[in-house]
Amino acid sequence: MPHDPAVRAASIRDVALLAGVSHQTVSRVINDHPSIRDSTRQRVLDAMEQLQYRPNRAARALVTARSRTLGVLSTTAAALYGPVSSINAVQGAARDAGYYLAVAQIPELTDAGIAAALDHLLAQAVEGIIVIAPQDLVLEHISTARIGVPYVTLQGGSEYVERELTVDQEAGARAATAHLIGLGHRRILHLTGPLGWFEAQARVAGYAHELESAGLPVPTLLEGDWSAESGYRAAQSFVRDPDATAVFASNDQMALGVYHAAREAGRRIPEDLSVVGFDDIPEAAHFWPPLTTVLQDFTELGRRSVERLVAEIEGGAVPGPASLLPELILRESTAAPGSAGRPGG
């Protein structure tokens, strides 16, 4: 019979009575003690579920001297697709590993703002921190602060590579640019993200490398702010230029802005202008035409970041820094110059 919370919240002794074990055994199950038999553990878990018993997290931390909490340090850009996807992936991986998650957003990108967000996490007794804040100043601050817990960063391009778990942004940009070169484009523009971001810098590097390797000029960069509006505004400066036959946008939202500007200018995608994005947001397959873009595996990145922190916290073998290769997803927004083309040419 389910427990009625209106009468009294179930206690650890209620669970023990229903499961037919001592309250010490219930405590061992809650704290993942290895000596408990599987059948006993399951009986206790079933009793906890029937009684809707939830362990007191604060009391548990006092007993075990552990909070089983990981922290996420993010910036105000956390509303963007990449950071949101990363935080969601970390949350799922932390839950699977038996950890809680605390998130602190940096209120302003200053040393004081970063310190305040760190203090907020440390006050919650986090046992490790995952940094999803891809700006130079954040990692500079983290690397010199004495935070006293292990951390990993989910961005690359910094000098602190021993703490990085990343998607290879440069490789993704190279694949996108090489695809356009392979289709025969010779004037390929690049709409960058904010150049204070590691991801934007790495994508510029990959783009420029491919053009230079092919003996093609590197046009003046067009800087956006990740928004569709910034993509639209930037595209207005080139979309009527017939020599500009392709553009690599540093994220899918800015690519959407390019679509808008191209339609206004009467240029067809991909017949007159090929467009490649980055991220493969869920809507990318539903752009018209569907967008060729670069897929990042945020779920695997989150899993690996939690795996590394938990190993370091619990004294296991700590995986080294790692970089995941992104995947170019070919759809109908790219074709040979002046061609109706098939998906991807």
Side-chain angles (χ1 to χ4, degrees), residues 9-273:
S11 71
I12 195 170
R13 294 185 183 277
D14 295 324
V15 174
L17 182 62
L18 182 60
V21 298
S22 68
H23 72 271
Q24 291 93 339
T25 297
V26 176
S27 180
R28 292 190 187 100
V29 170
I30 291 170
N31 292 304
D32 300 320
H33 199 283
S35 67
I36 303 296
R37 287 182 299 182
D38 289 344
S39 59
T40 303
R41 185 186 307 276
Q42 191 57 54
R43 202 159 69 248
V44 170
L45 292 175
D46 290 344
M48 289 171 61
E49 182 63 28
Q50 184 174 341
L51 294 172
Q52 298 179 19
Y53 173 76
R54 297 293 179 266
N56 184 309
R57 184 177 169 191
R60 180 178 173 185
L62 286 173
V63 173
T64 64
R66 292 196 55 194
S67 68
R68 296 194 71 84
T69 300
L70 301 179
V72 168
L73 182 68
S74 71
T75 65
T76 52
L80 296 172
Y81 177 74
V84 164
S85 299
S86 298
I87 291 172
N88 288 343
V90 167
Q91 186 169 46
R95 183 172 57 248
D96 291 344
Y99 280 75
Y100 302 97
L101 197 69
V103 179
Q105 194 174 85
I106 298 169
E108 55 183 20
L109 202 57
T110 62
D111 281 323
I114 298 165
L118 270 176
D119 287 345
H120 178 74
L121 288 178
L122 296 174
Q124 298 178 69
V126 297
E127 298 186 53
I129 294 175
I130 297 168
V131 182
I132 307 176
Q135 290 94 358
D136 300 280
L137 183 60
V138 177
L139 284 197
E140 289 172 9
H141 186 102
I142 291 285
S143 67
T144 56
R146 296 181 179 179
I147 60 178
V149 297
Y151 71 90
V152 296
T153 71
L154 299 194
Q155 58 271 329
S158 74
E159 61 187 282
Y160 315 108
V161 293
E162 75 282 355
R163 290 287 177 182
E164 289 181 358
L165 290 170
T166 67
V167 173
D168 191 332
Q169 306 293 323
E170 186 169 340
R174 289 175 62 178
T177 309
H179 169 62
L180 293 169
I181 294 170
L183 290 172
H185 295 280
R186 293 298 174 261
R187 178 165 165 74
I188 302 169
L189 301 175
H190 182 37
L191 176 51
T192 81
L195 291 175
W197 287 54
F198 293 123
E199 283 92 340
Q201 296 165 17
R203 293 170 197 174
V204 168
Y207 158 80
H209 180 277
E210 287 300 313
L211 289 180
E212 290 165 355
S213 296
L216 296 175
V218 179
T220 302
L221 299 174
L222 303 164
E223 186 175 0
D225 63 8
W226 303 125
S227 70
E229 178 67 20
S230 72
Y232 170 71
R233 297 296 179 194
Q236 288 179 320
S237 69
F238 68 79
V239 75
R240 297 181 186 278
D241 178 1
D243 292 331
T245 62
V247 58
F248 165 39
S250 198
N251 80 339
D252 294 345
Q253 287 293 335
M254 291 192 295
L256 178 60
V258 174
Y259 271 48
H260 182 184
R263 182 173 179 82
E264 279 190 346
R267 296 197 72 187
R268 298 165 301 164
I269 298 171
E271 294 90 342
D272 305 317
L273 181 69

Side-chain angles (χ1 to χ4, degrees), residues 268-339:
R268 298 165 301 164
I269 298 171
E271 294 90 342
D272 305 317
L273 181 69
S274 284
V275 182
V276 180
F278 207 107
D279 282 339
D280 195 27
I281 63 175
E283 297 82 7
H286 304 287
F287 286 17
W288 192 255
L291 180 66
T292 293
T293 186
V294 178
L295 169 68
Q296 305 189 68
D297 192 342
F298 293 111
T299 299
E300 179 63 12
L301 195 63
R303 186 192 68 77
R304 290 194 187 191
S305 65
V306 171
E307 177 185 54
R308 175 177 172 138
L309 275 187
V310 169
E312 196 164 354
I313 291 165
E314 299 184 357
V318 179
S323 183
L324 304 178
L325 282 177
E327 178 185 358
L328 181 65
I329 305 297
L330 297 179
R331 297 195 181 102
E332 288 86 353
S333 67
T334 54
S339 167

